[in-house]
Structures are given as structure tokens and as C-alpha cells.
């Protein structure tokens, strides 16, 4: 080995020691969190703080780029950043004693501040980042000492060892490094298993029998579903339903201990447990819900059959006081949404939902209880893992997204989408079948039209909607010869208002514009 390689080798091993040490600390923090603070760990706290801190434009970029895999992307990015800083801690500790310890200590302070910033913080969660940092420092000290022993000789603190002695110390360091990595790996698996309280809750969910609805959903009209190849189904399967939220890990909520509290400007505060909720007269309704981050032509929208108790009945029991105009709903993980009081008390079927497509809510979609409000984007209405409804005023409270640049009401905008053929696909000349969906939740769709190369609008065949709270499917066959075509779609609601043509971004209150695709027609 030449002198350059010899000089670089200790730095590489020191970097590896830093990664193993910090990993061990992080794993221990997660392992202890699984035992004493299942709802909040150092990693989820830091991840949540990152989500809160980044500008809305960055969030929208992440959702547009990664879609529903944005949480995986964030966790992967966090892991890479932690590994890089851990390697740095090892290198600087090798070069200057206590410098690497200081880097890890900063980890601990950042983790502590993140934990303290979370709504679900408890006394048990507070010391966990410090425990993780302390463990990382101790393991790094142990590994760096082993690394120094590898490079020292009794003749002097930095003299190279010779022969068997150097080989022995090398083996000791590598054994320590490998052993630390194995222990961290096993601890990570154990932490994942223990934090899999979701597995226990999933078992409870699988054994849960939902009550029969007192008011069943109206039957799906004949012809409501258009069966074109490539079209999304009229009712979105649970496993395909979009998921956008701020929870890095899915909250595991035991239905036996779940309680919904109604507080704030009410005549009577109410606490409702799960068994009592299931005994209420449930109704079943098809409803389409959408994320405000849905771009024109996007897929952050889905239609499902929901089972729940009308929110208006619970609020009537509580008796909202004069002057109240908003309900602040709170999730198990601390997320909040501000919903206009009038949409929770009018004749629309806003639900305290317990079922989705004939089964209990999936864990990632809010089990055991969530809100579903037709006509509003999810950021002001679709609270998952619901724990509180606070009757209040817009002047006094704000939901999670409002201070981050979004409007406080969030009515869903009329929109439409071309699903068949997909943008950029080639099709054969002749009669080309187009199909898609259109929506104007709680208003309904009266017609859908297509135009080719900015020519005249042509009416599509509009399938009957399940209700004005769901999307509608449409289809139209167009005779197209060889060439390239621009196809646009627009919808008009039941009040006669066409969707807005002007393009606007999703912030601050939802995207507008005609979905436009380009199709290559081949001989």
C-alpha cells in the first residue's frame, strides 16, 4: 500500500465508525420509543419538523415528483443525510478529539427540539433524542479508540505497529466495527417489530364487524361505469386510493381506547368512544374526495363507498354556540384541519367515517375513525385518525395548512381528466376512443366536452353519476387520421358553470385549467 493510501485509510475507517455509531444511537432511540412512546420517536419527530418547515412550494414539488411515495423519499433522504453527517463525525473525531462528539451532540439537540415541537409530545418522548446522541457518542469513542490502537505502538503514540501486533489490533477494530453494525441491524429489526403496534391494531381491525347501515347507499345507476381499457374503475379499490398526509409512520390507534372529544364553543362537551359510535345509526354513501395538491390531470383523487355517522348529528348533541363558524378537527398525530361549520351541519352527508368500500378503514386511511366531507379539498376536511372536534371561529383558530399559504375554506373546483388514451401514447388511425372522469363534488356535472387542436367543442357521452358527491365517467370516439393531435377536455357543472380554462397552480386553493394531452396517430 503506498503512502497516500495509508494516509487515507484511517479516515475511511473513521467514517465507517461514525456511521455505525450514529446508527446504533438512532436504533436505540427508536427501540426505546417503541416501548415508551409509540406515537412519537426521534426520527418521526425530526421528519415531521422537516415537513412543517419546508416551504409549500417544496412540498408541492415533492408531491409532484414522488406522488404518494413522498414519505419514502423523505425518509430515504433523511437516512442519506444522517449517514453523511455520521461519517463526518467519525472523520473529525479521528482528526481532533471531541470534535466528532460535538457533531453527534448537535444531532441530539436537533432531535430534542423536534420532539418538543410536536403536538403529541409526552414526557417519555423528551429524553429519547438525548439517549440516542449519548449512545452514538459512547459507541464512536469505543470504535475510535480501537482504530487508534490499530495505528499505535508502545514506541510512540503514532508509530506504526509491526507484524502480528498490528494484525491483532486491526482484527479487534474490524470485529468491533462489524459487531456494532450487526447489533444496530438486529436492534433496527427489533424496533420495527416493536413499533409494529400497527400489526396488533391491524389484527383488531381484521376481527372488527361493522354495523349494517340504517340508510344504505343509493344503488349505482345502470351505465354509470364505462368499461374502456385503461379507465380507472368507478369505485376506487382501497389499495389504489391515494394517500397524502403529514404522518411519516401510520398512527396505530387501538379502537378500544379511542375517544372522540367535542370541545370549544358548545353548550355541552361530549366524549364518544368507539363502541358508542358503532351503535349510532350509520349511513353509507359514495363520495369522491380530492387533495388540493392534485395537478390538472392528476391522480390525487378517488371515489369510495363510506360508512359513518353524520357529523351534523354529533354537533347537534353538542349545541354550537352563537358566533361559532368553524370546526377544528385534530388527528392522533397532531395534524389539524379547519372546516366551515355550515358544511358540517347542512344536508350534505359529512361523515364520521368508520368504513371504506365495505370494510373497516385501512390503517393508512385513518383507522379507526376519520372525517369525510363532500365538496371540500382534504386539507380542510378529511382528517384521519380523528380524536377531537373543536367548535371555534376562523378568527381564533387555523388548521395546519392555512398559515402555510393555503386558503381557509377549500371548496373543490370543477375539473375533468382524460384517462384514455394516456398522454404521449400512440394510437391507430380511425375511430379513437377517449374516456375519463369529471367532478364537481356536491354540485354535480351536467356535460363534458372535448376539442381537437383548439377546434370546436364536441359533447362526450356522460355516464349517469352515482350522486352529485361523486365523479362522473365519460367517453367519446373521434375519427382521427395519421398525425399529431392536441386533445383538451372541459366539464360544466349542474349550475351551468364551466370549469376554468386559465391555468393556475395548486396553491393556494386548487389547480385550474383544461387537461391537455398530445396523441400520435399512426397508420
Amino acid at each position: 500500500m503506498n503512502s497516500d493510501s495509508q494516509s487515507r485509510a484511517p479516515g475511511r475507517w473513521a467514517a465507517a465508525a461514525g456511521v455505525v455509531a450514529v446508527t446504533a444511537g438512532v436504533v436505540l432511540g427508536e427501540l426505546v420509543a417503541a416501548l415508551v412512546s409509540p406515537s412519537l420517536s426521534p426520527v418521526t419527530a425530526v421528519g415531521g419538523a422537516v415537513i412543517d418547515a419546508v416551504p409549500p412550494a417544496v412540498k408541492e414539488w415533492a408531491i409532484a415528483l414522488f406522488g404518494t411515495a413522498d414519505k419514502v423519499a423523505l425518509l430515504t433522504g433523511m437516512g442519506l443525510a444522517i449517514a453523511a453527517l455520521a461519517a463526518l463525525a467519525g472523520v473529525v473525531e479521528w482528526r481532533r478529539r471531541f470534535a466528532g462528539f460535538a457533531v453527534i451532540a448537535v444531532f441530539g439537540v436537533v432531535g430534542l427540539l423536534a420532539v418538543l415541537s410536536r403536538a403529541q409530545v409526552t414526557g417519555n418522548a423528551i429524553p429519547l433524542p438525548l439517549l440516542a446522541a449519548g449512545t452514538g457518542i459512547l459507541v464512536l469513542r469505543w470504535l475510535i479508540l480501537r482504530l487508534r490502537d490499530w495505528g499505535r505502538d508502545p514506541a510512540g503514540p503514532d508509530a506504526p505497529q509491526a507484524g502480528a501486533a498490528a494484525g491483532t489490533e486491526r482484527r479487534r477494530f474490524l470485529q468491533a466495527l462489524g459487531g456494532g453494525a450487526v447489533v444496530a441491524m438486529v436492534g433496527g429489526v427489533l424496533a420495527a417489530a416493536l413499533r409494529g403496534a400497527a400489526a396488533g391494531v391491524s389484527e383488531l381491525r381484521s376481527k372488527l364487524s361493522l354495523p349494517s347501515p340504517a340508510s344504505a347507499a343509493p344503488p349505482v345507476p345502470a351505465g354509470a361505469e364505462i368499461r374502456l381499457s385503461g379507465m380507472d374503475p368507478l369505485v376506487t379499490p382501497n389499495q389504489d386510493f391515494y394517500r397524502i398526509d403529514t404522518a411519516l409512520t401510520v398512527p396505530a390507534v387501538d379502537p378500544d381506547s379511542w375517544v372522540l372529544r367535542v370541545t370549544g364553543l358548545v353548550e355541552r362537551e361530549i366524549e364518544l368512544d368507539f363502541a358508542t359510535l358503532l351503535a349510532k345509526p350509520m349511513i353509507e354513501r359514495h363520495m369522491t374526495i380530492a387533495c388540493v395538491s392534485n395537478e390538472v390531470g392528476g391522480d390525487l383523487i378517488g371515489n369510495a363507498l363510506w360508512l359513518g355517522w353524520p357529523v351534523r348529528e354529533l354537533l347537534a348533541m353538542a349545541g354550537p354556540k352563537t358566533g361559532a363558524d368553524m370546526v377544528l378537527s385534530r388527528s392522533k398525530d397532531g395534524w389539524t384541519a379547519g372546516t366551515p361549520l355550515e358544511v358540517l351541519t347542512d344536508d350534505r352527508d359529512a361523515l364520521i367515517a368508520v368504513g371504506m368500500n365495505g370494510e373497516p378503514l385501512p390503517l393508512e386511511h385513518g383507522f379507526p375513525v376519520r372525517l369525510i366531507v363532500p365538496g371540500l379539498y382534504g386539507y380542510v376536511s378529511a382528517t384521519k385518525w380523528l380524536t377531537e372536534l373543536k367548535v371555534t371561529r376562523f378568527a381564533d383558530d387555523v388548521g395546519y395548512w392555512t398559515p402555510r399559504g393555503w386558503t381557509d375554506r377549500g371548496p373543490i373546483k370543477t375539473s375533468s381528466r382524460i384517462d384514455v388514451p394516456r398522454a404521449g401514447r400512440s394510437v391507430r388511425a380511425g375511430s379513437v376512443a377517449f374516456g375519463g372522469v369529471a367532478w364537481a363534488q356536491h354540485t354535480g356535472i351536467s356535460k363534458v366536452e372535448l376539442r381537437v387542436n383548439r377546434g370546436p367543442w364536441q359533447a362526450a357521452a356522460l355516464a349517469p353519476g352515482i350522486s352529485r358527491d361523486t365523479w362522473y365517467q365519460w367517453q367519446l370516439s373521434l375519427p382521427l387520421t395519421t398525425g399529431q393531435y392536441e386533445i383538451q377536455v372541459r366539464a360544466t357543472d349542474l349550475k351551468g358553470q364551466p370549469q376554468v380554462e386559465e391555468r393556475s397552480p395548486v396553491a393556494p386553493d386548487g389547480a385550474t385549467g383544461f387537461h391537455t394531452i398530445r396523441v400520435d396517430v399512426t397508420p
Side-chain angles (χ1 to χ4, degrees):
M1 182 182 293
N2 61 38
S3 59
D4 286 343
S5 298
Q6 288 176 331
S7 65
R8 288 196 299 267
R12 292 173 183 153
W13 289 119
V19 171
V20 169
V22 171
T23 300
V26 170
V27 165
L28 182 63
E30 295 300 295
L31 184 59
V32 176
L35 298 172
V36 303
S37 178
S39 64
L40 186 66
S41 73
V43 169
T44 59
V46 171
V50 169
I51 291 173
D52 290 352
V54 298
V58 177
K59 292 186 178 75
E60 293 311 313
W61 170 82
I63 291 172
L65 183 62
F66 299 108
T68 55
D70 58 337
K71 307 297 185 304
V72 175
L74 174 59
L75 289 172
T76 301
M78 285 177 57
L80 294 174
I82 289 172
L85 291 172
L88 175 65
V91 171
V92 297
E93 181 61 27
W94 168 257
R95 293 176 178 173
R96 178 170 296 182
R97 192 163 296 177
F98 304 121
F101 299 170
V103 173
I104 298 177
V106 171
F107 270 104
V109 172
V110 170
L112 176 61
L113 294 175
V115 166
L116 292 173
S117 73
R118 310 319 295 160
Q120 68 270 42
V121 62
T122 64
N124 287 343
I126 293 173
L128 297 180
L130 303 181
L131 172 66
T135 300
I137 288 172
L138 291 175
V139 174
L140 181 60
R141 174 178 172 79
W142 174 55
L143 291 174
I144 292 297
L145 286 176
R146 289 290 188 191
L147 184 59
R148 292 189 189 281
D149 287 342
W150 179 7
R152 278 205 297 263
D153 178 82
D158 297 309
Q161 291 184 342
T168 298
E169 295 302 336
R170 175 179 180 273
R171 281 193 300 274
R172 287 177 178 174
F173 169 75
L174 293 178
Q175 287 169 354
L177 186 69
V182 169
V183 169
M185 208 187 255
V186 172
V189 172
L190 182 58
L194 289 176
R195 288 190 65 79
V201 172
S202 183
E203 178 71 14
L204 291 173
R205 175 187 175 274
S206 68
K207 296 178 179 178
L208 178 65
S209 295
L210 294 176
S212 298
S215 173
V220 176
E225 182 159 20
I226 296 172
R227 301 186 183 278
L228 278 179
S229 177
M231 282 268 284
D232 288 343
L234 182 64
V235 177
T236 310
N238 290 354
Q239 67 271 17
D240 297 332
F241 211 93
Y242 79 93
R243 178 198 166 197
I244 295 293
D245 52 55
T246 61
L248 277 183
T249 57
V250 175
V253 183
D254 186 340
D256 292 334
S257 60
W258 174 87
V259 173
L260 174 61
R261 299 172 60 242
V262 183
T263 63
L265 299 176
V266 292
E267 298 294 340
R268 294 163 295 279
E269 293 199 350
I270 293 175
E271 286 195 356
L272 184 72
D273 62 34
F274 194 60
T276 303
L277 173 60
L278 291 184
K280 297 295 183 182
M282 297 277 169
I283 69 172
E284 205 172 35
R285 297 290 184 269
H286 285 97
M287 295 183 210
T288 298
I289 62 173
C291 179
V292 72
S293 296
N294 198 35
E295 300 279 359
V296 172
D299 59 1
L300 300 182
I301 182 170
N303 183 48
L305 178 63
W306 306 95
L307 175 72
W309 188 40
V311 183
R312 60 177 175 268
E313 296 187 21
L314 177 60
L315 292 177
M317 291 172 58
K321 293 182 178 179
T322 302
D325 62 4
M326 187 255 269
V327 174
L328 189 74
S329 54
R330 186 176 300 277
S331 170
K332 174 69 175 178
D333 67 347
W335 187 85
T336 55
T339 309
L341 178 62
E342 68 264 20
V343 307
L344 298 178
T345 54
D346 63 15
D347 63 353
R348 78 186 69 200
D349 291 321
L351 298 180
I352 303 168
V354 298
M356 181 180 183
N357 288 333
E359 62 183 64
L361 294 170
L363 268 62
E364 64 271 19
H365 290 295
F367 181 82
V369 179
R370 67 172 295 167
L371 273 185
I372 293 293
V373 182
L376 300 183
Y377 287 117
Y379 81 103
V380 293
S381 67
T383 304
K384 303 172 187 174
W385 313 292
L386 181 66
T387 60
E388 182 183 8
L389 296 175
K390 179 184 177 183
V391 180
T392 180
R393 300 184 303 173
F394 281 104
D396 299 331
D397 283 297
V398 293
Y400 178 90
W401 285 109
T402 303
R404 292 171 169 81
W406 300 83
T407 57
D408 58 6
R409 304 276 170 161
I412 290 178
K413 296 178 176 178
T414 301
S415 193
S416 54
R417 188 179 75 196
I418 302 170
D419 291 341
V420 177
R422 300 291 177 181
R425 296 286 177 86
S426 296
V427 296
R428 300 296 295 272
S431 180
V432 179
F434 291 84
V437 289
W439 59 90
Q441 287 94 317
H442 204 59
T443 302
I445 296 294
S446 65
K447 64 179 179 179
V448 173
E449 300 164 292
L450 265 67
R451 68 179 179 186
V452 180
N453 294 338
R454 308 295 172 111
W457 289 104
Q458 303 179 56
L462 182 65
I466 299 175
S467 77
R468 61 179 181 162
D469 290 331
T470 67
W471 59 16
Y472 296 59
Q473 293 189 334
W474 58 266
Q475 65 178 335
L476 177 64
S477 292
L478 296 173
L480 299 178
T481 57
T482 303
Q484 292 185 329
Y485 297 88
E486 177 193 80
I487 312 294
Q488 291 182 303
V489 62
R490 75 173 179 186
T492 301
D493 68 21
L494 282 171
K495 296 179 180 178
Q497 295 295 317
Q499 71 179 89
V500 176
E501 178 175 8
E502 181 183 358
R503 280 269 179 170
S504 67
V506 295
D509 59 356
T512 62
F514 296 158
H515 186 208
T516 303
I517 67 169
R518 284 171 174 78
V519 177
D520 291 328
V521 179
T522 60

